[in-house]
């Protein structure tokens, strides 16, 4: 899982294996250790709700994504478009972008173009 942070924006990009784990009900985690400071972690999990939410597991933020939307998104891979969520908590909203690495999707699933058949990529 790759995480990019900038101001009030988080981009999470996963590969196909991580997506499969997420869809199977597992929690994805990204842990960064900064010297002797407590580690920084971000957790991603699916939930049954219709909107994304932000929770905390101890001190680690956990982004809960709607399982239905992630499952539907998974069905249209590979694609360059991701999903965008706005989390309203506190004074400022957090913008979350979730996507699956398109190159990994093409390697795993093959490329599909309109009017053509799947083309395996090696």
């Amino acid at each position: 899982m790759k995480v990019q942070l900038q101001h009030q924006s988080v981009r999470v990009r996963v590969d196909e294996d991580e997506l499969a784990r997420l869809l199977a009900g597992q929690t994805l985690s990204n842990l960064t250790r900064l010297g002797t400071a407590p580690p920084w972690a971000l957790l991603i999990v699916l939930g049954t709700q219709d909107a994304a939410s932000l929770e905390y597991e101890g001190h680690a933020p956990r982004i809960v994504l709607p399982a239905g939307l992630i499952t539907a998104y998974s069905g249209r891979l590979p694609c360059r478009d991701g999903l965008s969520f706005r989390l309203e908590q506190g004074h400022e909203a957090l913008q979350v972008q979730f996507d699956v690495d398109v190159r990994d999707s093409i390697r795993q699933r093959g490329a599909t173009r309109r009017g053509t058949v799947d083309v395996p990529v090696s």
Side-chain angles (χ1 to χ4, degrees):
M1 175 169 67
K2 294 180 182 177
V3 177
Q4 293 176 311
L5 297 171
Q6 184 174 1
H7 305 289
Q8 288 303 114
S9 173
V10 175
R11 179 181 181 209
V12 176
R13 185 174 62 195
V14 299
D15 62 25
E16 285 281 346
D17 292 338
E18 291 166 323
L19 176 63
R21 290 188 3 237
L22 190 62
L23 291 169
Q26 295 181 21
T27 299
L28 300 182
S29 64
N30 185 48
L31 179 69
T32 302
R33 298 187 188 281
L34 304 169
T36 59
W40 184 86
L42 177 66
L43 308 172
I44 306 292
V45 67
L46 297 184
T48 58
Q49 76 286 359
D50 292 334
S53 63
L54 180 64
E55 301 173 352
Y56 286 89
E57 188 170 299
H59 293 291
R62 177 174 51 197
I63 297 174
V64 182
L65 300 175
L69 290 177
I70 301 300
T71 300
Y73 171 65
S74 166
R76 59 185 173 93
L77 293 174
C79 66
R80 293 193 184 278
D81 300 330
L83 298 175
S84 187
F85 303 95
R86 185 174 172 87
L87 305 179
E88 301 282 348
Q89 282 195 340
H91 300 307
E92 295 187 53
L94 179 67
Q95 189 69 33
V96 175
Q97 176 74 27
F98 177 86
D99 52 46
V100 175
D101 185 326
V102 71
R103 290 183 193 123
D104 188 50
S105 284
I106 290 171
R107 277 192 297 274
Q108 300 269 347
R109 298 173 184 242
T112 304
R113 303 276 187 252
R114 288 186 188 158
T116 63
V117 295
D118 288 350
V119 177
V121 176
S122 45

